[in-house]
Amino acid sequence: MVGILVYADWLHQSSAYQQKRLASLDRLNQIASRLDSDIRGNLHLMRGLVATIEALPAMQQAQFSEIAAQVIQGQSQIINVAAAPGLVVRMVHPYAPNTAVIGLDYMKLPSQRDAVLTARDSGAPVITGPVKLVQGGEALIIRLPVFLPMENGRREFWGILSSVVNLAALYERSGLLDAQNTDRLAIGARTEDGLQLDHFFGDETLLSADRVSVTLDVGRETWIISAAPKSGFGLSLADVWLFRLQLLLAETIVVLPMVWAGRLMQERQRNLVAIHEREEAMRLLSRRLQVALETSQIGVWEFDPAANLLVWDERMKVLYGLPPDARTATYEDWKDTLHPADFAQAQREFTEVVTNGGEYRSEFRVVGKDGAIRFIRAIGNAYLDGKGRKKIVGVNWDVTQDIRLQADLRRAKRQAEDQHRELEKAHLRMENAALHDALTGLPNRRYLDQILADMEDAGGEMDVTVLHIDLDRFKDINDTLGHAAGDVILKHAAQALKLNVRGSDFVARIGGDEFVVVSRMPGSAEEHSDMASRLVEALSKPVDYEGHECRVGASIGIASRTDASEPVEQLLVDADIALYEAKRRGRNRVERFNETLRLNAVHTKKTADDILRGLEQNEFISFFQPQFDAATLEVVGLEALARWDHPVKGLLGADAFLKIAENLKVLAAIDEIILNQALMQLNRLKLAGMPVQKVSVNISAQRLREEGLIERLAALPILPGSLSFELLESISFDGHDGELVPQIEKIRALGIDIEIDDFGTGYASIVTLLKLTPRRLKIDRQLIQPIVESKAQQQLVRSIIDIGRSRGIEIVAEGVETMEHADILRDLGCHYLQGYALARPMSPADLLPFLKARSWMPLQRLDEVG
């Protein structure tokens, strides 16, 4: 009795235990099936996007986003997709929240590098996870390698397509979260040694407790999903003791029927378990098939040739436009939907499998009742059923979007290829235009630089000579006859150059009227000079333009390579220096570069650099030379003279920097500095009670042309008559500088007097006097110095003074080096004197003591004053 009681009690508890385990296992299998189906569904979608990239590898971000949006729409759990050509992320979808990922290099991230390399090397997708997301939650990472087909039949690795799958969405869709209401659940991934589980979901203690488990292969990992009812697998204590009491009572009544019943129960239990297992397997298989069909939207059909009967599921009815309540269809129903153009081929392929059996594959179009055309792909197999009757079972699915997408991709690829060819042609045209001068057709400066760079890369070539050519008087023709005449001259010059150089010489136009010839043929210096002379002669020939005979000259600088290690580009610089020397010596000539010119150029460059530095360091200062009344020898004014307080060379006069400053276009800045210092010194003398009424300052053509000059002068506190501008000898009012006359009139209107400097030796002439009518005229020292010994020179100076007086112009004599000069000039009628006999130029610090001491006055004059 005790043995039967114990056995029956154990059997009862085992049965309850098994039933609870089977129920938990049933729920667990459904969850695992859904998880597996959803993961594979997402993988299937990513494979489709891989196929798209393989068809159009050159797609950009906008096209990638458009296609990715179509692929992952619907019930996909994919959060985002990233394409990494060359393992560097270049495209993402969605784009806006993922722009920070652009440029991510997988090879620089140890956390992702191994998975990416595994996908690349294996050629298969790699699924990793779960991983923690920055925005919260967990996800799976699916990485698929992308290989492009090559012309030799091989495949080239393009990059990695990576997608993030929302793990919480997978859990929810699989029913895992709902199952937690009744069961304890846990998921862990088996470690590499296979002995432990890494828990990542649910109750971690369940992994070491009594549970049921199923395995799920996720990429390269195996997930163990475990479950147990919250109340446990066993019976409650009350149920156990109730059954035991009932069993004890029954066994007490009849032992043998009890034993017999126990054996029947055991047998029944085994049968129930076996039946349940088979039913569970069938349900699991059916569920997987249903999930697969729902995910892929595939329709299933079966055809009985003997009965001419087609059996379609619900999806097939949707594909072919039949009403949902239609239970069956015939072979004719299927044929009636076929597109006329595909009818013959589709019928032939289906008839062949009906007749011969085997595998059935076909693709055709069907026309719906609404006239819409769909592309259908069909796969099937012939088989014999249990009664030996031939039947064909298969699947259909709608591939319309795939076909149209592929057509769009092919069309886009053709368009891209056409555009690429057009771009190549345009690039060649642009490259040719970029390397040649549009007017003359000669190579331009960019082409010249390229030729020189190629020669430099070749190295060691000694026989290189550069001729730098500049047209003389070209600006005169351009200004008088217009740019059209200038263009004719430039074309003439280009043709003359091409006709008078060797066939191997390179001719380029590098600027407005500048040309360069590069000769790489051996030749002596005389030969190159002869060629340059021929070019000067050819360029000097007259050109007829609308009845005008236009003549230009040419100045040429020549530089030849004397050392193979000398940079070729330096020859261009040397030739330019020689050209500058040719122009300086009178134009229309040829000069060859030598070391003397190099030293002069270096000196000029260093002086120019020092001038620019001197302006920054305020090294330019004013010296002042007093001007005296010829009759009384009283100081009536000052001339402000520019000096350069050089930190190394000491105090330098204007002749040491004036010409270089003019070429640097900074002469106007120096003029402004001297003007400001002169006005400040004049105010200082007035405050000290000195009877100095005016100060004169040199002004250059650059300063006169300076924009905003009149406005700045108007803002200065200048009393009328207290400031004079001396026009430098470099300004000629007989030629193109005549345009400055209106500017001078505006200056005169501000109360600033105009003086003409160096009259008699510079550009100033009688025409200048007539045009300007200046307040004062300064006779150059070269005319003043000989008047002591030469009566004729006295007469010349008297004539200039008389001319000035006749126009109401005051006369200032420069270069008064002796008191005899002063007496003669006073007798000739000169108004003012300036020279070493009375005062040398002096610094502002020395000026006030000099004026107070009055040491220039003769003794009798001092006595008269006393």
Side-chain angles (χ1 to χ4, degrees):
M1 291 289 292
V2 172
I4 292 173
L5 179 62
V6 171
Y7 177 74
D9 182 58
W10 170 82
L11 192 63
H12 176 255
Q13 292 191 52
S14 296
S15 176
Y17 179 84
Q18 289 295 332
Q19 289 179 358
K20 284 192 173 184
R21 287 182 68 87
L22 288 174
S24 295
L25 187 61
D26 179 33
R27 294 190 294 273
L28 203 57
N29 279 326
Q30 293 182 16
I31 291 171
S33 174
R34 296 190 191 104
L35 279 175
D36 181 64
S37 175
D38 287 340
I39 292 174
R40 293 185 184 279
N42 290 322
L43 181 59
H44 176 72
L45 293 177
M46 294 304 295
R47 288 184 190 275
L49 188 52
V50 167
T52 302
I53 294 177
E54 290 175 350
L56 190 60
M59 71 168 62
Q60 298 298 316
Q61 175 63 52
Q63 193 172 13
F64 177 81
S65 295
E66 180 181 357
I67 295 174
Q70 295 178 6
V71 170
I72 66 175
Q73 67 181 355
Q75 297 182 353
S76 168
Q77 292 82 39
I78 297 175
I79 301 175
N80 58 63
V81 182
L87 302 183
V88 177
V89 176
R90 299 299 183 195
M91 297 176 286
V92 293
H93 177 76
Y95 179 78
N98 296 287
T99 53
V101 183
I102 298 297
L104 176 67
D105 189 346
Y106 285 139
M107 296 303 293
K108 296 181 179 179
L109 295 177
S111 61
Q112 301 194 38
R113 182 172 55 229
D114 292 340
V116 169
L117 293 178
T118 299
R120 182 197 67 183
D121 296 337
S122 65
V126 173
I127 303 176
T128 55
V131 296
K132 298 291 186 180
L133 297 177
V134 175
Q135 62 270 32
E138 297 179 320
L140 294 180
I141 307 298
I142 301 177
R143 298 182 176 91
L144 289 89
V146 181
F147 294 89
L148 303 180
M150 306 298 291
E151 293 181 358
N152 56 8
R154 302 182 65 181
R155 302 180 64 190
E156 180 184 13
F157 178 69
W158 177 86
I160 291 294
L161 184 66
S162 176
S163 64
V164 178
V165 180
N166 189 338
L167 197 55
L170 286 175
Y171 290 159
E172 183 177 1
R173 182 174 171 83
S174 66
L176 186 67
L177 302 181
D178 295 335
Q180 285 185 308
N181 296 329
T182 58
D183 293 331
R184 296 168 58 203
L185 296 170
I187 304 177
R190 193 174 298 281
T191 58
E192 294 181 357
D193 56 14
L195 301 178
Q196 295 182 352
L197 293 178
D198 289 333
H199 171 266
F200 61 86
F201 178 85
D203 188 354
E204 185 176 2
T205 61
L206 184 61
L207 297 179
S208 59
D210 188 15
R211 67 193 189 279
V212 292
S213 301
V214 294
T215 61
L216 180 62
D217 291 332
V218 179
R220 304 181 67 197
E221 294 183 347
T222 300
W223 287 4
I224 307 300
I225 307 176
S226 302
K230 290 186 176 180
S231 61
F233 290 110
L235 296 172
S236 65
L237 188 61
D239 291 337
V240 170
W241 279 108
L242 178 61
F243 178 77
R244 287 176 179 176
L245 290 175
Q246 293 173 351
L247 183 61
L248 182 60
L249 180 61
E251 285 186 351
T252 302
I253 296 172
V254 54
V255 176
L256 293 177
M258 184 90 175
V259 174
W260 177 74
R263 289 179 179 177
L264 291 178
M265 184 178 293
Q266 186 178 18
E267 184 67 23
R268 177 179 177 274
Q269 186 64 34
R270 284 197 297 269
N271 294 335
L272 287 174
V273 171
I275 292 172
H276 191 275
E277 287 177 350
R278 286 194 294 270
E279 290 177 349
E280 179 58 29
M282 185 61 70
R283 283 197 300 270
L284 180 59
L285 181 61
S286 176
R287 180 58 184 167
R288 287 180 176 176
L289 179 59
Q290 181 181 359
V291 171
L293 294 176
E294 290 177 355
T295 303
S296 60
Q297 297 185 340
I298 292 176
V300 180
W301 55 270
E302 186 179 63
F303 178 63
D304 186 348
N308 192 28
L309 181 64
L310 270 175
V311 178
W312 284 349
D313 67 357
E314 295 297 326
R315 182 61 188 168
M316 286 292 294
K317 297 174 185 177
V318 173
L319 289 177
Y320 285 88
L322 292 182
D325 56 353
R327 295 186 177 182
T328 60
T330 64
Y331 179 59
E332 284 70 24
D333 294 333
W334 173 71
K335 291 195 300 182
D336 291 341
T337 62
L338 292 175
H339 192 281
D342 299 343
F343 181 85
Q345 180 179 350
Q347 186 178 21
R348 182 174 62 254
E349 292 171 346
F350 192 74
T351 302
E352 182 178 353
V353 73
V354 170
T355 304
N356 301 323
E359 186 179 83
Y360 169 61
R361 288 182 177 273
S362 183
E363 189 171 297
F364 46 83
R365 288 170 290 177
V366 297
V367 181
K369 292 183 178 180
D370 56 356
I373 297 176
R374 295 178 180 172
F375 289 84
I376 303 296
R377 188 169 294 163
I379 297 177
N381 272 291
Y383 75 101
L384 297 177
D385 64 5
K387 297 180 180 181
R389 293 175 299 187
K390 180 188 289 187
K391 292 186 178 181
I392 303 172
V393 67
V395 295
N396 281 185
W397 69 93
D398 187 349
V399 293
T400 303
Q401 291 186 354
D402 293 343
I403 297 296
R404 290 175 178 170
L405 179 59
Q406 291 175 8
D408 291 341
L409 291 176
R410 287 193 296 270
R411 184 166 53 255
K413 182 179 180 181
R414 288 195 300 271
Q415 292 176 352
E417 291 173 349
D418 293 341
Q419 291 176 357
H420 178 71
R421 285 191 292 270
E422 290 300 323
L423 287 175
E424 285 293 332
K425 294 178 182 177
H427 175 72
L428 292 176
R429 291 194 297 268
M430 292 173 62
E431 186 68 22
N432 183 71
L435 295 177
H436 289 80
D437 174 45
L439 177 64
T440 64
L442 293 177
N444 58 15
R445 179 56 184 263
R446 180 181 174 188
Y447 201 169
L448 172 65
D449 292 341
Q450 183 175 316
I451 290 294
L452 295 180
D454 292 342
M455 294 171 61
E456 188 67 37
D457 294 339
E461 189 174 354
M462 279 291 297
D463 296 317
V464 180
T465 297
V466 174
L467 284 73
H468 194 170
I469 305 159
D470 184 83
L471 301 182
D472 298 329
R473 298 185 300 278
F474 174 77
K475 186 177 184 300
D476 296 340
I477 294 176
N478 226 21
D479 292 343
T480 56
L481 299 180
H483 291 288
D487 291 346
V488 171
I489 295 298
L490 291 174
K491 291 178 181 179
H492 159 71
Q495 187 65 21
L497 291 176
K498 287 190 289 186
L499 293 176
N500 288 276
V501 299
R502 292 170 292 190
S504 60
D505 293 340
F506 178 84
V507 182
R509 180 191 177 200
I510 63 171
D513 59 346
E514 294 185 60
F515 299 84
V516 166
V517 177
V518 180
S519 175
R520 303 172 65 177
M521 295 292 291
S524 64
E526 290 75 13
E527 290 175 333
H528 291 129
S529 296
D530 291 343
M531 181 173 70
S533 298
R534 290 197 307 272
L535 293 177
V536 170
E537 182 180 356
L539 292 171
S540 300
K541 292 182 179 179
V543 177
D544 180 71
Y545 174 73
E546 295 183 353
H548 297 279
E549 187 180 80
C550 302
R551 289 181 181 270
V552 294
S555 299
I556 301 180
I558 305 176
S560 298
R561 198 174 196 177
T562 58
D563 185 355
S565 63
E566 181 181 11
V568 180
E569 291 82 357
Q570 184 62 39
L571 291 179
L572 196 60
V573 177
D574 295 344
D576 184 60
I577 294 173
L579 172 64
Y580 180 80
E581 180 66 13
K583 284 186 169 295
R584 190 184 70 81
R585 291 193 175 193
R587 304 174 183 267
N588 208 36
R589 59 183 293 130
V590 178
E591 287 291 335
R592 176 172 287 277
F593 178 79
N594 53 46
E595 285 303 316
T596 301
L597 293 181
R598 185 190 300 276
L599 293 175
N600 291 339
V602 170
H603 170 72
T604 301
K605 171 68 167 58
K606 187 176 185 309
T607 302
D609 293 340
D610 286 349
I611 289 174
L612 296 177
R613 178 196 50 76
L615 285 171
E616 295 176 355
Q617 301 297 325
N618 298 320
E619 294 175 0
F620 290 92
I621 59 176
S622 293
F623 264 50
F624 298 92
Q625 187 172 22
Q627 296 175 337
F628 302 84
D629 186 287
T632 65
L633 295 185
E634 293 292 340
V635 176
V636 293
L638 302 172
E639 180 182 4
L641 303 171
R643 294 292 185 265
W644 184 5
D645 189 8
H646 197 283
V648 176
K649 299 179 181 179
L651 195 66
L652 301 177
D655 56 347
F657 60 85
L658 189 64
K659 189 63 177 178
I660 299 176
E662 185 175 11
N663 293 335
L664 280 175
K665 308 299 183 184
V666 298
L667 195 54
I670 296 176
D671 286 350
E672 185 171 11
I673 292 173
I674 301 305
L675 172 61
N676 292 334
Q677 294 182 7
L679 293 176
M680 182 175 64
Q681 185 63 25
L682 186 63
N683 289 332
R684 177 170 173 257
L685 294 177
K686 288 182 179 179
L687 292 175
M690 293 293 103
V692 179
Q693 301 300 321
K694 70 175 185 66
V695 62
S696 59
V697 180
N698 290 329
I699 187 168
S700 63
Q702 285 184 17
R703 176 75 162 157
L704 287 174
R705 291 189 177 95
E706 192 175 21
E707 186 177 355
L709 172 65
I710 302 301
E711 290 75 11
R712 285 194 294 274
L713 292 176
L716 295 175
I718 301 173
L719 294 176
S722 65
L723 176 64
S724 295
F725 278 167
E726 293 187 11
L727 304 181
L728 291 179
E729 63 178 0
S730 60
I731 304 174
S732 171
F733 294 93
D734 301 337
H736 299 302
D737 287 337
E739 64 190 23
L740 297 178
V741 173
Q743 184 83 333
I744 292 175
E745 292 301 328
K746 294 178 183 178
I747 294 174
R748 198 200 308 269
L750 296 176
I752 300 174
D753 293 338
I754 300 299
E755 299 181 8
I756 295 180
D757 195 11
D758 300 326
F759 187 84
T761 60
Y763 290 118
S765 65
I766 300 299
V767 176
T768 303
L769 296 179
L770 295 175
K771 284 184 178 181
L772 295 181
T773 312
R775 177 69 178 272
R776 297 177 190 87
L777 183 70
K778 300 185 73 172
I779 304 176
D780 189 83
R781 59 174 46 85
Q782 295 182 40
L783 301 179
I784 298 299
Q785 289 177 358
I787 64 174
V788 175
E789 294 84 11
S790 174
K791 294 294 184 180
Q793 197 71 21
Q794 289 184 21
Q795 187 61 38
L796 174 61
V797 172
R798 182 190 298 275
S799 299
I800 294 174
I801 295 173
D802 291 342
I803 292 173
R805 283 181 172 275
S806 68
R807 302 291 297 179
I809 300 172
E810 298 176 353
I811 307 299
V812 181
E814 294 182 301
V816 180
E817 297 185 354
T818 66
M819 292 307 297
E820 188 175 359
H821 280 98
D823 294 337
I824 294 174
L825 289 168
R826 182 194 61 225
D827 295 340
L828 292 176
C830 185
H831 296 92
Y832 306 112
L833 306 177
Q834 181 178 341
Y836 287 1
L838 300 171
R840 291 176 175 270
M842 62 192 72
S843 68
D846 296 334
L847 180 60
L848 184 59
F850 172 80
L851 295 177
K852 290 182 177 179
R854 299 174 60 83
S855 58
W856 70 90
M857 295 289 287
L859 292 177
Q860 65 272 21
R861 293 285 180 89
L862 291 175
D863 293 339
E864 293 172 3
V865 174

